[in-house]
Amino acid sequence: MLCKIEKIDPCERGCLFKNEEIMKIAIIGTGYVGLPTGVGLAEFDNQVICVDKERSKIEQLKQGKVTLFEEGLEELFLKNLKEGRLSFTTNIKEAIPKADVVLIAVGTPPNPKTKEADLKYIYAAAEEIAPLLSDFTVVATKSTVPVGTGDKIEALIKQKNPKADVEVISLPEFLREGFAIYDFFHPDRIVIGANAQRGFDRIKKMYAPFEGKTNFLCVSRRSSETIKYASNAFLAMKIHYANELADFCEKAGAIVSEVTQGMGLDTRIGSRFLNAGPGYGGSCFPKDTNAMAYMGRQYGADLSLVAATIKGNALRKKKMAERILAQVEEVKNPKVAVLGLAFKGGTDDCRESPAIDIIQNLLELRPDIQIKAYDPKATEQARKILGDKIIYETDMYKAAEGADVLAVLTEWVDFKSLDLEKTLSLMEGKKIVDLRNMLSFEKATQLGFKYSSIGRV
Ligand code: UDX
């Protein structure tokens, strides 16, 4: 099944049971990684306390308001908050001394110049944690961090608190945004990177409900740190390869969805992450491929495939804008309807969203353009980036009204049900550029649309 049309019950837990031994877990950072992880661990009956410096965020969470959109999160969040297994604080001193495990889930944003991962929040967290450690504690890094960061965290803690009885481990997260709760309960693997047995043992205890249900991979800390980058870079390459194949198919008269379906049936290749589109985005793939390339240069190891992927993906978003503009070359003050602003379907996150990049390119290349956009969840996030440069609509048809061309930029499942006849009656022009292959090629062309999709002419 193609991942873009997944409809799943995010809270479905299959045969996972609660933890027999309740653990005390502190989580530093309540973002897209920290919050779903905290909620998931609380659901296993653990006692979870989440720490964040942002006072307003913690206040909202305490009052039962979730601070980010994630399918299934609110339901489990409210349940565990009500039942007293989940709490929030800005005061790290309330959380660390009692914790069996401390999870660091703070951001590692890219350095704007070098693109290496900026670790200031990681080290700040380590420095704050160090003096508060009393009994044996495992400090686990959930954030994606460059190889060797665990060594530095350990040195820092030991320097600040030489008596600390601590095991620093790497515990990468593989949660997809929009599916974070589902992924939490259905991991393909749990990777634990530790340099001592007691680190493995404690984390295995924390994840006891998964024992026998998923793969536990116990490796060295540096290997674990590398696994996270290597996995994300590989997935980014896979998407980029599908995108290059799409360009090839358009020239060679093949249909990319048929080609990738044929490839994906080979279990060595697998069908997922082969959906050609406008390029990958989000808070992980762009950042992690860049950080991986940086590490390659640092260690003098040639990661040429990663470098080619980064370059090709950036170029692709420009080409996609040009593809849309080619449809309105002759039109003065062209009106474009945009469906989708988030970096992918199922999330309100617009970080590194191809949709936002494409819109910015459109505005730059055609200053006379008017863009009306609709996204089921991401309007507010997009507004923070694009301000009033575009018009935000409350449904797909309002965005389509009077448009010369309609462009699908995000793979929201809802867009599949767009009524093409109604859309045709509302639009000024008869052109669709479907960069996510969400609509029916046959139906659109039958209705008389000039329909341009990815990897098929
Ligand atoms: C990713 C990883 O999948 C997850 O394991 C990791 O821990 C965090 O980073 P996420 O960033 O949430 O997750 O999104 P993902 O679903 O991987 O999609 C990333 C980007 O690739 C999106 O822009 C998406 O639209 C695009 N994509 C994905 C494609 O263009 N084609 C595909 O086939 C799959």
Side-chain angles (χ1 to χ4, degrees), residues 311-380:
K311 193 172 158 208
N313 195 59
L315 197 64
R316 184 156 188 87
K317 290 177 277 183
K318 276 211 181 92
K319 282 197 215 154
M320 293 297 117
E322 285 162 9
R323 189 180 282 225
I324 297 168
L325 289 181
Q327 304 294 332
V328 287
E329 229 166 12
E330 314 284 303
V331 187
K332 262 194 187 165
N333 305 114
K335 294 188 187 70
V336 179
V338 161
L339 299 190
L341 294 163
F343 82 94
K344 65 171 187 178
T347 177
D348 64 346
D349 196 346
C350 288
R351 284 176 291 174
E352 298 279 339
S353 169
I356 303 284
D357 278 352
I358 291 167
I359 290 173
Q360 280 168 332
N361 275 314
L362 291 176
L363 292 166
E364 211 171 284
L365 294 166
R366 282 292 299 264
D368 62 335
I369 209 166
Q370 189 205 72
I371 298 174
K372 288 204 285 176
Y374 167 70
D375 188 287
K377 295 279 177 211
T379 303
E380 287 321 307

Side-chain angles (χ1 to χ4, degrees), residues 3-4 33 144 172-179 183 189 228 231-232 235-236 238-239 242-243 271-286 288 342-345 347 352-354 409-411 436:
C3 71
K4 70 182 177 193
V33 174
T144 303
E173 62 81 18
F174 301 101
L175 308 177
R176 291 164 303 160
E177 275 182 37
F179 299 98
D183 286 352
R189 78 292 208 195
K228 177 61 199 270
S231 301
N232 274 0
L235 291 170
K238 200 174 174 189
I239 297 167
N243 289 341
S271 60
R272 299 175 76 191
F273 282 70
L274 275 179
N275 293 320
Y280 58 79
S283 67
C284 292
F285 287 174
D288 294 350
F343 82 94
K344 65 171 187 178
T347 177
E352 298 279 339
S353 169
L409 305 189
T410 306
E411 71 276 45
R436 296 286 190 169

